[in-house]
Amino acid sequence: DAGVTQSPTHLIKTRGQHVTLRCSPISGHKSVSWYQQVLGQGPQFIFQYYEKEERGRGNFPDRFSARQFPNYSSELNVNALLLGDSALYLCASSLAGVRTEAFFGQGTRLTVV
Amino acid sequence: AQRVTQPEKLLSVFKGAPVELKCNYSYSGSPELFWYVQYSRQRLQLLLRHISRESIKGFTADLNKGETSFHLKKPFAQEEDSAMYYCALIQTGANSKLTFGKGITLSVRP
């Protein structure tokens, strides 16, 4: 099992652009969560999806959106990128939607210039 | 709102020394507490959770509701314990949203 896979691993974008990050959960996992980790900080919750429905949303602006597909993979979209969006974006998958162990991917390193 | 505080950024000890990584939380309900670890060039992974009451790699953590703490301890540190450690909580009855502390770097010297 490859675990949670994220793509791309690294990305450089210009301010104002749009970005799409992708995540494939562990086979059989139906829940995907997204986290933003800024240098020197712990991961901060952005979204959780379970069975293709949004189950939770963190304190992020509407420029951030996500969705989950029928195969349980997920995309995180960020519009109108700001320099402050530069971070490591982590995806985590879990079996169910509530209080089950989260398995993390390696992350996507986004740099906004 | 829930919060997790890890007051130290770095702990450096010699091999064989005891280790205690501090974690305090604020939450009005009954949260579930976790310790996650990230070794160099590896992904974030679960080390232990308070409900399982296990000892993983010699580490233990006891939830103290009176002091709202969940400190991670190991009696004899090993070089391979060097890593970044994050304390996190999930609030009762919610989704799987993890609230993390800022993390602490543990460095075990030979």
Side-chain angles (χ1 to χ4, degrees):
Chain A
D1 190 347
V4 178
T5 57
Q6 293 185 242
S7 62
T9 54
H10 296 84
L11 200 53
I12 299 175
K13 289 286 190 178
T14 305
R15 277 178 297 174
Q17 284 189 315
H18 163 90
V19 68
T20 298
L21 310 181
R22 295 179 174 83
C23 172
S24 292
I26 292 172
S27 178
H29 285 193
K30 298 182 178 181
S31 177
V32 170
S33 298
W34 288 94
Y35 292 81
Q36 181 194 64
Q37 186 172 19
V38 175
L39 197 62
Q41 303 288 323
Q44 187 173 359
F45 175 78
I46 310 175
F47 286 109
Q48 187 206 1
Y49 277 78
Y50 177 65
E51 288 283 15
K52 301 177 284 296
E53 291 188 1
E54 183 180 303
R55 287 296 185 92
R57 184 183 184 115
N59 188 24
F60 280 81
D62 292 343
R63 299 184 296 107
F64 288 76
S65 63
R67 55 180 175 167
Q68 187 177 33
F69 299 99
N71 66 354
Y72 302 108
S73 66
S74 178
E75 282 183 355
L76 175 69
N77 295 282
V78 187
N79 292 322
L81 285 166
L82 303 174
L83 295 179
D85 295 330
S86 296
L88 181 67
Y89 288 85
L90 296 170
C91 173
S93 78
S94 55
L95 273 171
V98 180
R99 299 165 72 99
T100 53
E101 180 179 348
F103 293 82
F104 283 84
Q106 289 277 32
T108 294
R109 171 72 63 187
L110 172 65
T111 302
V112 182
V113 296
Chain B
Q2 64 271 22
R3 181 184 299 177
V4 175
T5 302
Q6 294 180 252
E8 299 157 331
K9 288 188 176 181
L10 171 67
L11 179 64
S12 183
V13 302
F14 284 107
K15 177 182 173 181
V19 167
E20 182 178 62
L21 307 182
K22 297 188 188 308
C23 173
N24 289 90
Y25 67 91
S26 61
Y27 177 60
S28 56
S30 295
E32 185 169 349
L33 275 295
F34 304 81
W35 276 97
Y36 278 81
V37 61
Q38 187 166 28
Y39 300 102
S40 179
R41 299 183 182 276
Q42 294 187 27
R43 61 189 65 194
L44 195 61
Q45 59 186 283
L46 179 66
L47 179 62
L48 54 81
R49 58 199 303 179
H50 89 269
I51 60 170
S52 63
R53 295 184 170 273
E54 293 176 300
S55 173
I56 305 294
K57 298 184 179 182
F59 284 97
T60 59
D62 291 320
L63 180 61
N64 185 322
K65 292 186 178 181
E67 296 182 358
T68 59
S69 68
F70 188 56
H71 303 328
L72 184 67
K73 300 178 183 180
K74 185 170 183 176
F76 307 104
Q78 302 300 314
E79 290 179 65
E80 56 266 29
D81 296 329
S82 295
M84 191 77 177
Y85 291 80
Y86 294 94
C87 182
L89 70 79
I90 289 179
Q91 62 192 57
T92 308
N95 49 38
S96 294
K97 169 188 174 182
L98 284 159
T99 298
F100 285 89
K102 292 185 177 182
I104 180 171
T105 300
L106 173 63
S107 174
V108 182
R109 294 168 287 173

